[in-house]
Structures are given as C-alpha cells and as structure tokens.
Amino acid sequence: MRVLIVEDEPYLAEAVRDGLRLEAIAADIAGDGDSALELLSVNSYDLAVLDRDIPGPSGDEVARRIVASGSGIPILMLTAADRIDDKASGFGLGADDYLTKPFELRELVLRLRALDRRRAYARPPVREIAGLRLDPFRREVFRDGRYVALTRKQFAVLEVLVAAEGGVVSAEELLERAWDENADPLTNAVRITVSALRKRLGEPWIIATVPGVGYRIDTGTARA
Amino acid sequence: MRVLIVEDEPYLAEAVRDGLRLEAIAADIAGDGDSALELLSVNSYDLAVLDRDIPGPSGDEVARRIVASGSGIPILMLTAADRIDDKASGFGLGADDYLTKPFELRELVLRLRALDRRRAYARPPVREIAGLRLDPFRREVFRDGRYVALTRKQFAVLEVLVAAEGGVVSAEELLERAWDENADPLTNAVRITVSALRKRLGEPWIIATVPGVGYRIDTGTARA
DNA sequence: CAACTGCCTTACGCATCCCGGACGGTGGAG
DNA sequence: CTCCACCGTCCGGGATGCGTAAGGCAGTTG
C-alpha cells in the first residue's frame, strides 16, 4: 500500500510517515498543493491523506482534482478541530473519510486500512494502460484524464483489450468475449466497433492492428 | 457527547464524571448491571464505560446486551490490572477499547474521544455525494442544502444509488434492493421511479443513465 | 364515503445503437 | 503491373432500450 501525505508541517508529516512505515505502508510527503499534484501525476498511490490548510492549491482543490481525474483514489481529509463545521463541504468535495487534528496515529492507520479494503473489495480494479484509464465500476473511460463517452459494445471491446494488457487479441476472441455466443463468425462487427473506438478515443491512435492476427493496445514500446 | 459509566465504586465513578464534565462530556452513573440496562433503555448514549466487576449482571453481560441491541454504542471496558489476561475475552464480547485500573483520567478522555470519532465514521448516518445529502434515519434528502420531499420508493431507490457511490447499478439490482421479493422482472417501475426522482431532485440532473447497463449518481467526473 | 396520494401497467414516441452490405485503400506475391 | 487478401469506413434499415403520459388499483385520511 502506498500513500501520499499532503501536509505542510514537516514534523507532523514525518511522524506520520514513520508511523505508517511500521505498518508496512509506504508514504510520500508533499508540503504544498503544487507538489502534491505533481507527485500524483508521476506516481500512483492507493490513498491520499490531505491537510485542508496547505500552501498553494488548497487541500480542497487538490481533492477536487483527484476526484476529477477519475483515478478513484480514496481521500482522507485532515482538518483542525475548530473547523469541524467544514465537514460537510469536505465530504462534498469527494473526501471519503475525515479526521480532526489532533488524532492518534493508530486511528489513522485503522481508517487508511478500512479505506483501502473498501476500495479493493467493493470495486473492480480500475485498469490503466498507455494513458487509458478504464473504470468498470462506473463504466467510465478516460484518455489522458479526459472523459470519453462510449457505447456498450465499444466499452465491452475496450475492456477485453485493456484486460489483455497490451497483448494481441484476435477478432475471434473479441467476438467470443464481447458478443454473446451466437455471433456470426464472419461478421465485420468487430472491425466497425474497433473503428468507432479509435475515433472516439482520439489521436494518437491507441489501438494497433496486427495484420492477420488481431488487435492490441499500443503501449508505445513497438513504436520506433 | 453523553456517556454512561457503569462502576460500583461511587468515589471512582464520581471522580470520572467530574473529570469528564470539564471536557464537556455528560455522564450518567450506574452502580450495578440492572440500573445500567435500565438507563440504557431509557436514555441514548454515545458511549459506555463498563467495569467488568459489578453487582448484578456482570459487565460482560451488559456488554453483550449492548451489542445485541444493535445500537452500535461503542464500549470501553475497565478491569483490574491483575485480570489483564481477560483482555481477549473482553474484546470478544464486543468491547471496542480497554483500560486497566488504575488509569489516568486524561487517558480515559483521549480514548473516549477516539471511540466517538470512530463511531461517527463507522456508521455515518448521513451519506453525501455530489451535492446530495441523504439521512436514512430521518428519511430526508437535501440537494445542495435544500430539502427535497420524496416518496418511500423514490427514497429507497436513491438510497441504493447513493450507497453505490457513483457506481453503476443495474435495473435488476435496483428491483432486488428497493422492491420486495415478488417484483415483476420486466416491469418498468424502475424507469418511472427514476424519472420521478430526476424531476424531484431538479437540475442539473444527478442520476445518469448508462445505456444497456443501468443508472448511477453522476459525480461530475464524466464531464469536463 | 369521497378525495388524495403513492404505485404500477399499458402504450407510444423517440433516440440511439448495431450490423449487413458495399466500396475504397493498402501492401505483398507473382 | 495485376491480382488478391485484408482492413477501414460510409450508409441505411431494423431492433432495442429509454422516457413519459395516461389510467387504474390499493391504502390512507378527513
């Protein structure tokens, strides 16, 4: 489990990190909103712990960005006790849990584990590959962070391709997985759907054709 | 915050009560198991502090009853130091925390506050998502802070959708959860209710249709 | 009993999706 | 160069699924 801690007070942040380390939870620290957003874009985290009151973009703003990114990373908000009335707005921004300072490290760990479990069990994993993010639970697809509306068949086909993690999938296999049993083997439905998919997902094209074999998600490794 | 103290030694009980009062925590005292159960049935408490060794029904028995009542009131157990080996059994009976005598008042307060926070988290009576606030207990719904009157069915459906936290819920699943067993599988009651819900909740529409799949709360991640 | 509300079935309009057919483009083999 | 296999894309009709209006039935209230 890997966590991003966004907290502007170094002493507190490091104390939390050290505590989490004992629980085998890896944690990175961002001291302000900008570095938080940068770290989020570079690394992949399972959870985010956000102090609301930080330099640069506020904790609220960072939370909004995380939610909008569609990554589905759960957020635990930290706030000073005297601002507890902000609780509603915190949840409204997409925070999944809330903790008021001062808090016990033990409790933080419990909540983080709870959030991680909830994410892991309740939701099918969000798959990411080559700038493509596919959320089976919400049935949403993002290309480079932008939402892409897909039809049912298009989503089904893309789901199979993404599940293959860049491996080649034959037209027959696509037919078998994304269509029901009684599909005409010599249909060109696959070609049409793939064509539509490419168009919807925009350029650069992310679905590569392997002549005579099938299709695969282009992860860029094959490009010169 | 209101706490029930179950402790047969009057001096200790009152010392604790006075100490808690300074922390703005209201406390009632029960000297034995029977009066504890009576007070629990009459008043509503946020927490219970139980001495294991009391006259009448034991602390263990009282704890069992509290858990069985389904009220979800967290329990902090007190025990003499020489019986610390009972710790496991105490937790087994549903105690949420544990303290051995003698203890410092300061520590008791800290633990009570922690328990109260955890309770607030463990069963959030109010769910919030995307500007929607839903109170299952009072059967009330607010959209952006404004009250919205809903019928029973409408509320039930919205409850399921909100519980899914933005995930897609199929019409079948809605039927299964918001209607009783004998629902016609090919009814369009769901569509009618969703339609009415959308109208009641006003614009912008907060329930999105995922064609061929189901419905979900629109958290806004799909726009922008 | 009358009026009302909540709830569901029937029915219909409408948008969208899906796929067969046809056509054009491309690259390799002869 | 010509042929051919394979692939991408446009078009149009049929099918599907969704939204909503209208009416009836049951339970509740005054």
Side-chain angles (χ1 to χ4, degrees):
Chain A
M1 184 153 63
R2 188 173 186 187
V3 175
L4 177 65
I5 301 170
V6 186
E7 165 65 55
D8 63 331
E9 193 181 333
Y11 173 76
L12 176 58
E14 288 180 16
V16 169
R17 179 171 60 179
D18 293 343
L20 294 183
R21 185 175 298 155
L22 295 178
E23 300 283 338
I25 300 174
D28 294 349
I29 296 176
D32 57 78
D34 284 320
S35 43
L37 292 173
E38 183 175 353
L39 282 174
L40 281 166
S41 69
V42 174
N43 303 317
S44 74
Y45 296 96
D46 300 306
L47 293 165
V49 178
L50 291 184
D51 188 2
R52 293 194 81 171
D53 205 20
I54 51 174
S58 70
D60 290 353
E61 175 65 16
V62 175
R64 219 179 47 72
R65 296 276 195 97
I66 292 176
V67 171
S69 75
S71 60
I73 297 175
I75 299 167
L76 190 150
M77 275 279 197
L78 296 178
T79 200
D82 57 356
R83 294 183 57 187
I84 197 168
D85 51 302
D86 293 346
K87 191 166 183 176
S89 62
F91 274 110
L93 285 164
D96 297 277
D97 197 6
Y98 210 88
L99 209 52
T100 58
K101 298 183 191 177
F103 56 88
E104 286 193 16
L105 190 58
R106 184 186 175 76
E107 185 173 11
L108 177 64
V109 171
L110 282 177
R111 295 191 180 216
L112 288 181
R113 290 210 184 280
L115 282 177
D116 191 50
R117 270 200 308 273
R118 172 153 38 123
R119 193 179 67 102
Y121 287 130
R123 314 188 170 188
V126 176
R127 293 193 161 273
E128 281 193 69
I129 183 172
L132 210 62
R133 176 169 44 247
L134 190 143
D135 187 334
F137 189 62
R138 300 189 175 214
R139 289 208 99 86
E140 287 176 345
V141 173
F142 296 83
R143 170 77 192 273
D144 295 330
R146 283 194 311 281
Y147 174 74
V148 180
L150 296 183
T151 72
R152 189 156 53 128
K153 273 286 179 287
Q154 291 162 9
F155 191 90
V157 168
L158 186 60
E159 211 171 5
V160 175
L161 287 174
V162 168
E165 291 176 342
V168 179
V169 182
S170 70
E172 290 81 13
E173 193 165 346
L174 279 175
L175 259 185
E176 193 174 313
R177 299 205 178 205
W179 275 260
D180 29 27
E181 322 66 43
N182 45 10
D184 182 356
L186 36 92
T187 180
N188 65 353
V190 174
R191 290 187 297 165
I192 294 181
T193 305
V194 169
S195 170
L197 257 180
R198 280 203 258 251
K199 205 176 296 178
R200 292 259 175 123
L201 292 173
E203 301 189 26
W205 284 345
I206 206 170
I207 301 178
T209 300
V210 184
V213 184
Y215 303 90
R216 63 177 182 81
I217 299 294
D218 189 350
T219 57
T221 57
R223 264 179 279 168
Chain B
M1 185 154 62
R2 189 173 184 186
V3 175
L4 176 65
I5 302 170
V6 186
E7 165 61 57
D8 64 332
E9 191 180 345
Y11 173 76
L12 177 57
E14 291 186 17
V16 170
R17 178 169 62 177
D18 293 343
L20 295 184
R21 184 176 297 155
L22 294 177
E23 299 285 340
I25 299 173
D28 296 349
I29 296 177
D32 60 76
D34 284 319
S35 45
L37 291 173
E38 182 175 348
L39 283 173
L40 280 166
S41 69
V42 174
N43 304 315
S44 75
Y45 298 97
D46 299 304
L47 293 165
V49 178
L50 292 182
D51 189 359
R52 295 193 78 170
D53 206 3
I54 52 174
S58 70
D60 290 354
E61 175 67 14
V62 175
R64 218 177 48 72
R65 297 275 196 98
I66 292 176
V67 171
S69 75
S71 62
I73 297 175
I75 299 166
L76 191 150
M77 277 281 199
L78 297 177
T79 201
D82 57 356
R83 295 181 58 185
I84 196 168
D85 52 306
D86 293 346
K87 191 165 181 174
S89 63
F91 274 108
L93 285 165
D96 298 279
D97 203 351
Y98 202 86
L99 212 51
T100 59
K101 297 184 193 178
F103 55 87
E104 286 193 18
L105 190 56
R106 185 183 176 75
E107 186 177 7
L108 177 62
V109 171
L110 284 176
R111 294 193 180 225
L112 288 182
R113 290 210 183 280
L115 280 178
D116 189 51
R117 276 198 304 271
R118 193 190 314 171
R119 188 182 69 104
Y121 160 73
R123 10 166 269 161
V126 182
R127 308 207 67 134
E128 294 199 45
I129 182 173
L132 212 62
R133 191 157 68 89
L134 191 143
D135 187 331
F137 183 70
R138 307 183 67 90
R139 305 240 112 187
E140 286 177 345
V141 172
F142 295 84
R143 170 77 191 271
D144 296 329
R146 285 193 313 279
Y147 175 74
V148 180
L150 296 183
T151 71
R152 285 193 307 270
K153 271 288 180 285
Q154 289 163 9
F155 190 89
V157 168
L158 186 60
E159 206 172 8
V160 175
L161 288 174
V162 168
E165 292 176 339
V168 178
V169 183
S170 70
E172 290 81 15
E173 194 165 344
L174 281 175
L175 260 185
E176 194 174 311
R177 299 205 176 203
W179 274 259
D180 32 28
E181 329 58 58
N182 44 13
D184 182 358
L186 35 92
T187 181
N188 67 354
V190 173
R191 292 187 296 169
I192 304 266
T193 305
V194 168
S195 174
L197 259 179
R198 280 204 256 251
K199 209 175 293 178
R200 290 265 175 111
L201 292 173
E203 302 189 23
W205 283 345
I206 206 170
I207 302 179
T209 300
V210 183
V213 184
Y215 301 91
R216 64 179 179 82
I217 299 295
D218 189 349
T219 56
T221 59
R223 301 198 205 114

